[in-house]
Amino acid sequence: MTTLNEIGEIGTHATFDVHDPGTGEVVGTYPIHTEADVEAAVARARTAFDWWSGLDYAERARRLAGFAGLLARRMRQLAAVMHDETGKPYSDAALEVALSLDHLKWAGRNAPKVLGRKSARVGLLTINQAASVEYKPLGVIGVIGPWNYPVFTPLGSIVYALAAGNAVVFKPSEYSPGVGRWLVDMFTEVVPEQPVLQLITGDGPTGAALCRSGVDKIAFTGSTATAKKVMAVCAESLTPLVAECGGKDVLLVDADADLDAAADAALWAGMANAGQSCIGTERVYVHERVYDTFVDTLVTKAKQQRAGNDSGAKIGPITMPKQLEVIRRHIEDAVARGGRALTGGADSIVGQVVQPTVLVDVPEDAPAVTEETFGPTLTVAKVPDMDTAIARANDSRYGLSAAVFSKARGRELADRLRTGMVSVNAVFTFPQIPSLPFGGVGDSGFGRIHGPDGLREFTYAHAVARQRFPSLLALTTFDRTQKADDTMATLMALLFGRH
Ligand code: NDP
């Protein structure tokens, strides 16, 4: 059982317990850090930033590679903490850690190329200038993370912020503070000199205190509703925000798709991690020519999977007890409006375990189709053509990610989806590619983690125009002559007047 934290001792602070969602057993006790604790952590981070940002890119990359090495060697240890706190099966937990490692290397290695000073083109009027731009670290980044992917998701912000030269104060979800503690301890082994990455624990008010603490940016991952609260607090101090929020992701199945692969992917993207994936599939639209075969295949596969608390179950329990009410409401409402559960259903909910649920004939305005369910459920609907599939997919306030299964038209259909990310003939591929940006539009949030955009997200552009020799056409002076004005007018007419 974990009982220590570097700031705020258990004895002097109110605490909260973390429960194993499978057994209900207490697996950790953590302090609820106060506003004063948060401010102290941010003050320490300022000093750490001075030191960390003073290292060169190569040294920061070396430390991040060392961090990746520790995570790789101790993956099973970390997977056990993840399993205890979230109920996630061990092998899924290990997979999540594995998928994070490439990002650590990529961010460290590519930071100099993406952020380092580069020359910029000049125009005719500024031919005497040498222009350049560099992306400098913002300072201290506050990272607020969710519990559903407690390693991959916060690291997507933390690692890119660190590679860019920032210090980080990390507030994990109250459901996964042990994972946060573990990550910060490991990072401290490779960067022992300064508290470049610190942990604060607590609940919503602790997160709000971080937003108020004067950090230079907040990287928030969580629900859209909480993002709005975070944004309101950040607005008080003009603290910028990157918001990675929820989704209602679709999977489209065209008439020529490989139906077995599409059904397998829909099942995995919908049910893995008990459906608690921001980029998890929740809606499936299938061309009418292959609908029946697809549904049969999907249901056959779904019936072979079982959710449970035991080690044989590939689908774990629902982590947050309050989410069960949302899942139950969506299923019951769908069935009350004429939908049918071909597997699972509301009756299959026992304790915190929900069996894989495939719903068909659900009206498009039902919450099961419009709201994030965040459980192991899929709605499957028949469409007459792929134009209708695209229209339904885009008719959502969310726009995080999507998947398309089509042999001939995969890229074309992908291009028409209003989402931040799309996989073609596969699912969950884009987050595994560190050079691709990750993020959404609409209620799914704004800003990007991962890739060059993810590095720049934690920086500010610093532009320099250096005069190499005096201009032949002196324009920015009160001594400007009539001749200079006339020459400028002639030049402008020549350059732009033809259009
Ligand atoms: P929440 O919105 O409930 O919480 C997210 C984080 O915000 C937690 O650390 C939470 O702390 C904290 N928090 C809560 N209230 C406040 C507040 N007033 N001010 C500051 N911080 C606060 O989300 P969940 O943890 O339930 O995560 C699930 C959601 O995250 C889903 O909607 C999912 O789609 C989304 N998500 C999005 C991803 C993406 O990359 N787009 C990736 C993963 C998840 P505490 O838990 O202690 O209350």
Side-chain angles (χ1 to χ4, degrees):
M1 184 189 290
T2 310
T3 51
L4 283 179
N5 199 292
E6 65 183 9
I7 54 167
E9 293 299 321
I10 291 282
T12 57
H13 278 66
T15 60
F16 64 102
D17 291 338
V18 183
H19 298 263
D20 180 325
T23 62
E25 187 197 338
V26 174
V27 291
T29 301
Y30 294 83
I32 299 177
H33 286 128
T34 61
E35 204 155 324
D37 294 324
V38 175
E39 278 169 15
V42 172
R44 276 196 299 276
R46 294 250 168 250
T47 310
F49 165 67
D50 289 342
W51 174 77
W52 180 247
S53 61
L55 301 179
D56 60 16
Y57 284 116
E59 179 59 17
R60 287 199 295 263
R62 199 179 67 73
R63 304 292 182 111
L64 287 170
F67 185 36
L70 271 187
L71 296 191
R73 291 194 294 280
R74 299 177 191 170
M75 189 187 281
R76 284 169 204 278
Q77 208 184 90
L78 176 54
V81 184
M82 294 159 79
H83 168 80
D84 287 352
E85 290 195 331
T86 67
K88 196 184 285 262
Y90 286 101
S91 65
D92 282 0
L95 175 66
E96 181 182 334
V97 179
L99 296 183
S100 308
L101 300 179
D102 215 10
H103 285 277
L104 273 80
K105 257 192 152 164
W106 191 93
R109 248 193 221 158
N110 287 278
K113 194 168 74 195
V114 175
L115 306 176
R117 189 162 289 281
K118 277 191 221 47
S119 24
R121 284 178 74 103
V122 293
L124 196 61
L125 289 179
T126 51
I127 200 122
N128 62 326
Q129 303 290 320
S132 66
V133 63
E134 178 188 4
Y135 293 86
K136 293 185 180 248
L138 286 165
V140 179
I141 308 297
V143 173
I144 299 177
W147 47 266
N148 61 337
Y149 286 95
V151 171
F152 187 82
T153 296
L155 284 186
S157 299
I158 291 171
V159 164
Y160 287 79
L162 291 173
N166 300 280
V168 172
V169 177
F170 173 34
K171 150 73 179 70
S173 162
E174 66 193 278
Y175 291 93
S176 56
V179 176
R181 167 83 281 159
W182 197 96
L183 291 172
V184 171
D185 286 349
M186 291 309 117
F187 186 79
T188 306
E189 279 192 31
V190 292
V191 184
E193 295 92 336
Q194 289 280 338
V196 172
L197 172 62
Q198 293 176 76
L199 182 83
I200 52 168
T201 55
D203 48 13
T206 310
L210 185 58
C211 300
R212 266 192 208 99
S213 65
V215 289
D216 299 289
K217 187 157 196 169
I218 288 284
F220 171 83
T221 311
S223 61
T224 308
T226 308
K228 289 178 186 173
K229 290 188 204 162
V230 166
M231 200 168 171
V233 175
C234 285
E236 291 167 17
S237 53
L238 211 61
T239 301
L241 169 71
V242 45
E244 299 288 351
C245 307
K248 191 71 189 172
D249 289 2
V250 293
L251 185 143
L252 308 185
V253 185
D254 200 355
D256 68 347
D258 176 339
L259 295 185
D260 194 66
D264 197 65
L267 186 68
W268 197 80
M271 314 296 180
N273 208 30
Q276 304 164 116
S277 305
C278 51
I279 55 164
T281 299
E282 299 211 353
R283 303 180 284 156
V284 185
Y285 293 106
V286 190
H287 195 289
E288 62 183 7
R289 287 219 299 274
V290 292
Y291 176 81
D292 290 340
T293 315
F294 174 84
V295 170
D296 286 350
T297 314
L298 174 65
V299 170
T300 305
K301 286 177 187 287
K303 283 184 173 161
Q304 289 160 11
Q305 295 307 326
R306 177 179 60 80
N309 298 318
D310 57 292
S311 59
K314 290 190 179 154
I315 299 170
I318 298 301
T319 306
M320 268 194 319
K322 69 174 193 256
Q323 194 64 27
L324 284 161
E325 288 321 304
V326 176
I327 299 167
R328 184 187 293 281
R329 175 168 61 80
H330 285 192
I331 298 175
E332 286 179 347
D333 171 88
V335 171
R337 292 170 185 235
R340 290 178 297 135
L342 302 182
T343 58
D347 294 345
S348 79
I349 302 176
V350 177
Q352 282 183 222
V353 173
V354 181
Q355 295 305 326
T357 297
V358 175
L359 295 161
V360 293
D361 302 334
V362 183
E364 282 292 296
D365 62 348
V369 179
T370 60
E371 293 173 16
E372 187 179 47
T373 306
F374 227 51
T377 68
L378 287 170
T379 62
V380 187
K382 191 191 293 187
V383 287
D385 49 50
M386 297 317 282
D387 288 346
T388 309
I390 294 282
R392 295 215 183 145
N394 287 341
D395 184 18
S396 171
R397 56 197 175 92
Y398 292 108
L400 191 54
S401 79
V404 176
F405 279 77
S406 170
K407 287 199 181 102
R409 299 176 62 199
R411 257 309 299 276
E412 178 213 323
L413 295 171
D415 283 350
R416 293 166 61 191
L417 285 161
R418 184 185 166 271
T419 57
M421 302 151 296
V422 188
S423 303
V424 179
N425 294 328
V427 285
F428 282 33
T429 44
F430 44 81
Q432 301 175 43
I433 302 171
S435 54
L436 282 180
F438 185 102
V441 293
D443 274 10
S444 293
F446 48 83
R448 292 293 181 268
I449 56 172
H450 300 178
D453 304 71
L455 283 167
R456 285 196 200 103
E457 192 70 54
F458 300 106
T459 63
Y460 64 95
H462 188 253
V464 175
R466 180 176 58 81
Q467 179 154 302
R468 293 186 294 139
F469 53 86
S471 172
L472 297 175
L473 201 58
L475 295 175
T476 52
T477 167
F478 288 118
D479 295 334
R480 193 170 67 226
T481 60
Q482 183 60 47
K483 193 171 169 224
D485 282 345
D486 294 346
T487 310
M488 184 192 61
T490 310
L491 266 176
M492 292 305 106
L494 275 172
L495 286 175
F496 305 107
R498 284 174 290 130
H499 301 292

